[in-house]
Amino acid sequence: MLRLGLLLLLIFLVFWAARGLVQDLKGLFGRREPSGPAPLSDELVQDPVCGVYCPKSSALSLTREGKTHYFCSEKCRKAFLEASA
């Protein structure tokens, strides 16, 4: 009876070790995700009113005295116009 218990324990340990080895090999040779943050596809601009950074392509813009200002929302754009009037 002791031999059967030891045999079952040995089988279990071999199975457990083999399963871990297979998972480690999958990790080494499997598909890897890129490390670090994804590169930005759009330039970030800072809102002069609230200081929030937003993508240039979705920001509202206003050109005054030859300088272009970018805003995160219409609320900030209006606040800028009121402050500079």
Side-chain angles (χ1 to χ4, degrees):
M1 188 65 152
L2 182 60
R3 287 183 184 174
L4 179 61
L6 289 175
L7 181 62
L8 289 175
L9 180 62
L10 182 63
I11 290 172
F12 172 75
L13 290 175
V14 168
F15 172 75
W16 181 70
R19 186 180 62 156
L21 181 63
V22 168
Q23 288 177 349
D24 288 344
L25 290 175
K26 281 183 181 178
L28 288 174
F29 299 110
R31 183 176 166 213
R32 292 184 180 203
E33 296 296 323
S35 61
L40 295 174
S41 60
D42 197 1
E43 179 183 356
L44 294 178
V45 291
Q46 186 176 19
D47 187 314
V49 176
C50 67
V52 169
Y53 286 91
C54 57
K56 191 174 187 178
S57 62
S58 64
L60 301 173
S61 63
L62 173 69
T63 303
R64 292 197 91 169
E65 300 173 2
K67 184 174 180 185
T68 303
H69 304 277
Y70 296 95
F71 304 93
C72 66
S73 66
E74 185 63 35
K75 180 180 174 183
C76 287
R77 185 176 179 271
K78 285 181 183 178
F80 181 83
L81 287 172
E82 290 173 359
S84 63

